[in-house]
Amino acid sequence: MHLTALRALGEDIPVGLKFVAEGSEEQGTGGLEAYVAQHPEQFLADALLVCDTGNAEVGTGTATITLRGLANLVVTVETLRGEVHSGMFGGPAPDALAALIQMLATLRDPETGATRINGLDCERTWPGVGYDEAQFRADAGVLDGVRLTGTGTVADRLWARPAVTVLGIDCPPVVGSAAAVPPTARARVSLRVPPGTDAELARETLTRHLTDAAPWGARVTVETEGTGSPFEAATDGPAYTALGKAMEQVYGTPLAFLGQGGSIPLCNVLATTYPRAEIVLMGVEEPRCLIHAPNESVDPSEIEHMAHVEALFLREYAAGHRR
């Protein structure tokens, strides 16, 4: 997308331009975030285009204006000094795995499956472009007859509300398990945090909820694995004005805004380091790309159109500064 846009402009590139390519973001190493903090002069700019997102659907020019943060925990439950025979002791002997399952179940509404964490607002709504439910089911690969979890619109659930996921559980596997009462069990729990909610407060609230939910006096230890703040872009500056004009010229419709359920910690570092810069999230991804799936792909028309958008944006942005 970038190379095609620059080739289209040829030698007539109307703005000062810096290009940064990162190869470690999916590893979660934080390398670029640390580098920005150490070398702020290298990234100083009026507008920062982070091209790690994409359109709401093929043919709809879109900018992502919110990202969810996260709070990851590992919760450990202990009830016995060691394993005991389930025939001799099962019943009165407290089962650590059963206790953990009961605790995790309290994180969701039993009827709707919506995230429910005591002390956390889970009812906000999304004001931007929506996400058709049938399209979401197809994009996510939801099986026939299985209901979506939560209440409100799909966009509400994805971009405006906290979302809890149990990423993994340490417990005896089915194959090789013995007739024993588990004395300990643990789970990795991830909470996606929407804009408007402090990630550290969300972590504390989730920790307190899990601890309070422990049955039978079970011992609970909660370890913080990591937190990241949510992000929300300001859209009233000249970069968004220029982008809107470019998108409308290429796609024939006004620029749409959507949220992103994932997290890009770099955006928060950029916003803190360069408070005057406009941060624009855009790119060639769209739901049919199946990002991170084995058959991940990109629609060639999106590369074509978004390259055109980028070239027009650079010209329009430069013209706006000259006016």
Side-chain angles (χ1 to χ4, degrees):
M1 180 184 83
H2 297 308
L3 291 175
T4 303
L6 295 178
R7 285 173 182 145
L9 292 169
E11 296 182 2
D12 183 24
I13 298 175
V15 297
L17 196 65
K18 298 177 182 179
F19 180 82
V20 180
E22 180 187 16
S24 64
E25 188 267 341
E26 294 301 343
Q27 300 174 19
T29 60
L32 186 56
E33 291 96 290
Y35 190 86
V36 170
Q38 294 164 2
H39 306 277
E41 72 287 348
Q42 294 186 19
F43 297 83
L44 186 63
D46 297 308
L48 297 160
L49 273 58
V50 180
C51 297
D52 193 30
T53 62
N55 292 335
E57 59 183 353
V58 172
T60 300
T62 311
T64 298
I65 60 172
T66 66
L67 299 167
R68 290 193 292 196
L70 58 84
N72 281 7
L73 305 175
V74 175
V75 54
T76 302
V77 180
E78 298 174 286
T79 55
L80 301 167
R81 286 192 295 269
E83 290 185 349
V84 294
H85 194 280
S86 61
M88 296 178 64
F89 297 97
D95 179 333
L97 179 55
L100 176 62
I101 291 171
Q102 186 167 319
M103 292 162 58
L104 297 177
T106 66
L107 297 173
R108 290 182 176 271
D109 183 278
E111 297 297 324
T112 67
T115 296
R116 291 288 180 266
I117 298 172
N118 296 334
L120 210 57
D121 184 359
C122 298
E123 298 296 335
R124 292 179 180 169
T125 57
W126 171 252
V129 65
Y131 198 153
D132 178 73
E133 184 169 326
Q135 184 63 52
F136 176 83
R137 292 183 65 89
D139 295 340
V142 180
L143 300 179
D144 291 344
V146 178
R147 299 190 303 275
L148 301 186
T149 50
T151 60
T153 68
V154 171
D156 292 340
R157 288 172 261 180
L158 272 179
W159 305 324
R161 299 177 182 177
V164 70
T165 303
V166 179
L167 300 179
I169 295 180
D170 285 343
C171 62
V174 172
V175 177
S177 57
V181 179
T184 183
R186 68 175 187 163
R188 186 181 183 210
V189 181
S190 176
L191 179 66
R192 294 289 177 168
V193 182
T197 299
D198 180 83
E200 183 60 27
L201 177 62
R203 181 197 66 78
E204 295 173 359
T205 305
L206 176 59
T207 298
R208 186 166 55 251
H209 179 109
L210 288 168
T211 302
D212 292 346
W216 323 316
R219 295 181 183 178
V220 177
T221 304
V222 179
E223 174 189 354
T224 300
E225 197 174 55
T227 59
S229 297
F231 170 79
E232 185 168 10
T235 61
D236 56 353
Y240 276 90
T241 300
L243 181 64
K245 291 180 179 179
M247 287 283 196
E248 189 156 8
Q249 186 171 337
V250 173
Y251 287 106
T253 55
L255 172 63
F257 294 137
L258 54 67
Q260 173 64 259
S263 304
I264 306 178
L266 175 64
C267 289
N268 298 91
V269 174
L270 294 174
T272 300
T273 309
Y274 314 104
R276 292 186 174 183
E278 290 183 79
I279 298 175
V280 180
L281 284 154
M282 53 185 270
V284 298
E285 295 177 20
E286 40 75 31
R288 293 191 309 187
C289 287
L290 299 177
I291 298 302
H292 296 327
N295 58 340
E296 173 180 295
S297 63
V298 176
D299 190 310
S301 70
E302 290 292 86
I303 300 176
E304 174 190 352
H305 293 142
M306 287 302 297
H308 192 184
V309 165
E310 186 170 17
L312 291 174
F313 163 78
L314 293 174
R315 280 188 176 174
E316 181 62 36
Y317 189 58
H321 277 265
R322 288 196 295 267
R323 293 187 189 112

